[in-house]
Amino acid sequence: MDTLIWILLLSLFCFLFWQQSRQNEEAKRHINAKCEALGLQVVSIARAGHRIRNNGRWYWHTRYLFEFSSQGDDCYEGYLDMIGFIAVKFWIPPHRI
C-alpha cells in the first residue's frame, strides 16, 4: 500500500512539473508576441510566483516578470498574469519610443 501511495505522489509531482513547463512556454510565447507587436526587444523573462485564488472557482494564478528594451540602451520591467494557460493581464510601463 505504501508503494502505491509513493507512485501516485511521484506521478502527481511529474504531472505538475510538466504542466508548469507548458505554462512557461506559453508565457514566453505571449510575451515575445506582445513585445514584437510593440517593436520592443525582450531582455529576460522570469516567473515571479504562484497563487491560488477563489473567484467563484479556484484558479492557479502565475505572474511572470519580463524586462524589455525599446531602444537598446534602456531597460524596463513589465509583467504578465496568467490563469492556467491563458494570459489575462499584461502590464507594460510607459517607455521611450
Side-chain angles (χ1 to χ4, degrees):
M1 188 66 166
D2 290 337
T3 307
L4 180 60
I5 291 172
W6 283 110
I7 290 172
L8 290 174
L9 288 175
L10 180 63
S11 299
L12 178 65
F13 176 77
C14 291
F15 176 75
L16 292 175
F17 181 78
W18 176 60
Q19 291 295 80
Q20 184 61 57
S21 296
R22 284 184 52 206
Q23 187 184 45
N24 288 344
E25 291 300 319
E26 281 296 309
K28 288 177 186 177
R29 189 179 62 78
H30 285 297
I31 291 169
N32 286 328
K34 183 73 160 185
C35 287
E36 185 177 324
L38 295 173
L40 303 172
Q41 177 184 3
V42 176
V43 176
S44 68
I45 301 172
R47 185 175 58 240
H50 302 289
R51 291 190 181 155
I52 298 175
R53 294 186 182 165
N54 183 4
N55 298 338
R57 285 184 57 192
W58 292 98
Y59 292 107
W60 185 259
H61 289 253
T62 306
R63 177 166 283 186
Y64 290 89
L65 300 176
F66 62 95
E67 293 180 338
F68 64 92
S69 176
S70 60
Q71 296 181 344
D73 62 345
D74 53 0
C75 191
Y76 301 93
E77 186 175 291
Y79 66 82
L80 165 66
D81 286 337
M82 293 190 69
I83 296 177
F85 300 113
I86 301 169
V88 292
K89 181 179 179 184
F90 269 100
W91 182 76
I92 298 176
H95 54 277
R96 289 188 295 174
I97 297 177

